[in-house]
Amino acid sequence: LYVKNRQSEPKEMEYLAIAAWIAGWITSVNYVAPGKVHFFDTDQESIFLYIDKYCRDNPLNNMHQALRALFYDLNPGYKLRQ
């Protein structure tokens, strides 16, 4: 659903809501662990491209799992609380 909506023109409202949720998730992680995690130096389009690929490769997983995978790829060895 995410990948399909992201590819549509104009962007579907559901995609825009998911994109806002993604931005909020990243903001919250940056707030909780400032200076300790790498999201600040990653541009938004790269984040969405990563999520696009993750969702295509893992269609049964959810967005939270995609963001956690991105986080751990950018921050190997760092542990988020469950």
Side-chain angles (χ1 to χ4, degrees):
L1 181 62
Y2 163 81
V3 173
K4 178 184 156 212
N5 285 340
R6 179 161 148 73
Q7 293 170 347
S8 68
E9 287 297 334
K11 300 292 183 220
E12 298 288 334
M13 286 300 291
E14 190 166 355
Y15 163 74
L16 297 174
I18 292 170
W21 187 86
I22 291 168
W25 191 92
I26 291 170
T27 298
S28 70
V29 169
N30 283 334
Y31 178 77
V32 172
K36 299 177 186 173
V37 297
H38 299 283
F39 274 126
F40 290 118
D41 54 352
T42 306
D43 65 279
Q44 184 175 359
E45 187 60 22
S46 294
I47 289 170
F48 287 128
L49 289 171
Y50 179 97
I51 293 170
D52 288 351
K53 181 178 181 331
Y54 182 91
C55 289
R56 280 192 305 275
D57 293 347
N58 304 278
L60 300 179
N61 289 0
N62 62 39
M63 186 59 65
H64 189 252
Q65 291 166 306
L67 287 167
R68 289 178 72 86
L70 171 63
F71 177 86
Y72 289 127
D73 279 353
L74 293 174
N75 302 279
Y78 194 93
K79 298 293 180 201
L80 289 174
R81 289 184 291 166
Q82 295 295 328

